[in-house]
Amino acid sequence: MTRELSAVLGYVEHMNELELDGVEPTARVVDLVNVLREDQPRPSLPLDVALANAPDEADGGFGVPAAGS
Amino acid sequence: MSDLLKLTAAQAVEALGRGDVDAGELHSLYRERAAGETINSYVSVGDPLVPDAAGKPLAGVPIAVKDLFCVEGIETRACSKILTGYIPPYTATAIARLQDAGASYLGKTNMDEFAMGSSNENSAFGAVQNPWDPTRVPGGSSGGSAAAVAAGLAPWATGTDTGGSIRQPAAFCGLVGLKPTYGAISRYGMIAFASSLDQAGPITRDVTDAALMLKYMQGRDEMDSTSTGMTEDVMMPSSESLAGKKFAIPAPIDWNGVQPGVKEVFDLACKRIEAAGGEIVEVPLPHADYALSAYYVIAPAEASANLSRFDGVRFGERAADPTGLTDMYERTRGDGFGPEVKRRIMLGTYALSSGYYDAYYNRAQQVRTKILEDYAAAFSSCDFIITPTAPSVAFGIGEKTDDPLAMYLGDLFTVPVSLAGLPAISVPAGLATSDGSAAAEPGADGALPVGLQIVAPHFRENALLEAAYVFEQATEFADGPWTWAGS
């Protein structure tokens, strides 16, 4: 795994050849601005459906082992 | 029976509409073939019952669905161990739209785990055989979808494409694969890999079917805020000429990394484009050479964030008998993810870490800007950009599994297009010998398909499909394995 990761990191160093000072980074390609819908309540998943896939359930929520141990 | 297998989806829709074919019979034929297949292209097969689709535009034509799409009530794992037992409470918008239009659900197809791979060998369900040659990969990550369609186990299938995962398997299996413009199709219910790149699309036997599937998949969806839908209605292609159209070959292409047989088929494709009235020109894409580097930073970075949700708390498999929360996270993820997924999570986490963020992630996003600028300039002097879809024919199962970087380099023609979010299609262009050394005639022993990639400006899918359709008509591409099957 170490060798493979080093090979990939070595390859991407290729980008360092480019002069990119002042170039704006692109995070998304389609020009969109957020449009927020009206904040109106609507139905969501019922609790039992939302919990149906959980490996463990506790008190109507997701059950997990104790933290900090 | 075998005649039914030869129908494309569009032909099947017509035959169903005329009453020449019964939807239940067509569904049963494919479902039985899917249940009895031997190439491992399906991971599960759906219900034998066919919902009534009479009068609907897709008239009950069966469709295979990549395991990356959530389907309500059907185990959906993205072919990962970590999602064992996950039953989604909802269906992905793209699939729901196809079902609403009358497509009948056939089953889930195999894929590289979380769509990370180019060979379908990174699947918790094992490798898939290419129907053209069972010792070879079908490509990836939508390898099961492509293999199923090529083998006559589905009339068509959905795929997803992040860096080439629709186009490359389509090319390796002698099919049409369309990656639409980023945003054309909703990503809601698609298990996320790299959210700024992921896009659903069709894998089909011909260009008309690709247009037909796109027509009923696309559209704005309020559940995916990056979806826009198409800016124009999808038209069924019908052009007969490429007159007045400029097809540009990007310069420079380093042909040293491309098999001679692939180059030969590509050169023949250019001649066919000219014979159909098109003009071949060259355009500079000076930063395309850096696209792979940027992609293998950006995609893993986004993946490392997206895959943090698989932690054994809300869905999927949890490690047995955890001693505490941290132990549960560590062992759940350690046991649940395959090696390629772990590799990409580590790469992505590294590229996003403070101290390295500027050198990797930010720099890769700057390269992305330069690539977008390159394409914008290129499309001011041409209508389409063409390349081979992949630098080689389908390679052998196990051939590249020890060298992830070599596998990544196979994406060199598809990745720049993905970074720019452009629509692109892979169309069968011809055949090459199995060692890729030369072009081959239809029917030649062991010959393997080669795809032509055509790229268009954002939201110009109609123009792209028209061009691909004319090219398809001009290409004497032999029928695929689906016509050999069942005969």
Side-chain angles (χ1 to χ4, degrees):
Chain A
M1 188 73 88
T2 314
R3 183 180 53 81
E4 292 157 355
L5 291 176
S6 298
V8 176
L9 287 173
Y11 178 79
V12 305
E13 298 285 331
H14 190 41
M15 291 190 298
N16 294 336
E17 290 171 8
L18 293 171
E19 176 53 61
L20 294 169
D21 285 353
V23 176
E24 282 296 312
T26 295
R28 58 183 188 282
V29 292
V30 180
D31 235 357
L32 292 171
V33 284
N34 273 334
V35 181
L36 300 179
R37 66 172 168 82
E38 293 291 305
D39 186 19
Q40 285 166 341
R42 47 167 103 179
S44 54
L45 285 181
L47 187 63
D48 60 326
V49 177
L51 290 173
N53 279 290
D56 186 22
E57 189 192 325
D59 305 326
F62 299 108
V64 291
S69 55
Chain B
M1 288 286 272
S2 61
D3 282 352
L4 284 181
L5 292 179
K6 295 191 172 84
L7 296 176
T8 64
Q11 288 166 345
V13 166
E14 274 189 36
L16 288 160
R18 284 194 308 263
D20 295 351
V21 172
D22 175 67
E25 187 191 350
L26 187 68
H27 186 92
S28 297
L29 169 69
Y30 276 109
R31 189 183 172 279
E32 279 164 30
R33 287 178 57 78
E37 60 132 355
T38 58
I39 57 172
N40 204 27
S41 61
Y42 279 86
V43 296
S44 68
V45 176
D47 203 80
L49 295 173
V50 191
D52 184 17
K56 292 186 179 176
L58 296 177
V61 172
I63 192 161
V65 174
K66 185 179 183 179
D67 194 30
L68 199 74
F69 294 91
C70 288
V71 177
E72 187 178 348
I74 307 272
E75 188 184 48
T76 297
R77 290 175 50 178
C79 287
S80 180
K81 181 172 180 286
I82 207 164
L83 275 173
T84 304
Y86 174 60
I87 312 282
Y90 65 101
T91 297
T93 301
I95 306 306
R97 288 195 172 162
L98 289 166
Q99 289 179 311
D100 288 346
S104 71
Y105 171 78
L106 203 49
K108 280 292 185 77
T109 57
N110 206 334
M111 56 181 279
D112 284 298
E113 183 181 1
F114 290 111
M116 297 177 191
S118 312
S119 67
N120 213 123
E121 291 166 295
N122 306 325
S123 165
F125 293 92
V128 178
Q129 295 174 355
N130 188 319
W132 292 76
D133 175 349
T135 69
R136 290 173 191 262
V137 303
S141 66
S142 311
S145 287
V149 176
L153 303 169
W156 55 359
T158 63
T160 65
D161 191 313
T162 303
S165 284
I166 286 175
R167 291 161 284 164
Q168 182 255 24
F172 278 12
C173 291
L175 300 167
V176 172
L178 171 67
K179 184 200 86 73
T181 307
Y182 181 83
I185 297 172
S186 168
R187 292 181 295 110
Y188 180 67
M190 261 168 63
I191 296 171
F193 162 15
S195 302
S196 78
L197 297 157
D198 297 343
Q199 186 59 206
I203 294 179
T204 58
R205 292 184 201 158
D206 70 9
V207 175
T208 302
D209 277 5
L212 186 64
M213 197 191 293
L214 175 66
K215 186 179 170 76
Y216 294 106
M217 273 177 115
Q218 67 90 22
R220 159 118 183 94
D221 175 15
E222 67 169 12
M223 302 305 280
D224 172 6
S225 62
T226 63
S227 70
T228 55
M230 303 277 300
T231 50
E232 49 191 22
D233 285 341
V234 179
M235 308 299 286
M236 290 303 109
S238 61
S239 298
E240 291 173 358
S241 161
L242 298 173
K245 300 294 181 199
K246 283 188 186 165
F247 292 76
I249 302 172
I253 288 184
D254 179 8
W255 290 104
N256 288 322
V258 179
Q259 286 181 338
V262 171
K263 169 82 161 65
E264 217 178 298
V265 172
F266 179 73
D267 290 342
L268 286 168
C270 292
K271 291 206 174 69
R272 287 204 188 91
I273 288 169
E274 287 178 320
E279 186 187 343
I280 302 287
V281 297
E282 260 194 17
V283 288
L285 282 184
H287 297 87
D289 197 27
Y290 300 91
L292 271 176
S293 296
Y295 177 85
Y296 278 101
V297 170
I298 291 170
E302 294 186 16
S304 70
N306 273 326
L307 270 61
S308 65
R309 62 172 62 97
F310 303 108
D311 56 6
V313 174
R314 288 158 297 166
F315 31 64
E317 204 166 66
R318 174 184 292 187
D321 306 320
T323 59
L325 191 61
T326 306
D327 178 58
M328 184 203 78
Y329 287 149
E330 288 177 355
R331 285 199 293 117
T332 296
R333 290 168 66 81
D335 297 345
F337 290 132
E340 179 62 25
V341 173
K342 285 181 187 163
R343 221 160 11 236
R344 297 209 196 184
I345 290 174
M346 281 190 264
L347 272 174
T349 315
Y350 180 73
L352 289 175
S353 59
S354 71
Y356 293 102
Y357 180 93
D358 280 335
Y360 290 106
Y361 188 64
N362 197 53
R363 197 165 185 84
Q365 289 192 309
Q366 290 175 309
V367 173
R368 196 171 185 181
T369 303
K370 300 305 284 182
I371 288 167
L372 274 162
E373 290 171 0
D374 281 0
Y375 277 110
F379 282 126
S380 67
S381 65
C382 69
D383 299 286
F384 306 104
I385 293 170
I386 51 171
T387 65
T389 305
S392 73
V393 294
F395 47 86
I397 293 174
E399 201 176 300
K400 293 191 183 180
T401 38
D402 291 340
D403 189 352
L405 184 58
M407 191 82 90
Y408 298 172
L409 296 178
D411 302 339
L412 84 163
F413 294 124
T414 48
V415 150
V417 183
S418 296
L419 286 173
L422 296 165
I425 195 167
S426 179
V427 194
L431 298 166
T433 54
S434 58
D435 62 358
S437 63
E441 291 298 316
D445 199 28
L448 294 168
V450 174
L452 172 73
Q453 176 176 245
I454 313 176
V455 186
H458 289 130
F459 297 111
R460 298 299 310 278
E461 273 81 350
N462 279 331
L464 179 65
L465 288 159
E466 293 287 356
Y469 177 79
V470 177
F471 177 76
E472 178 181 60
Q473 305 305 311
T475 304
E476 290 171 36
F477 186 78
D479 295 331
W482 61 90
T483 59
W484 319 330
S487 55

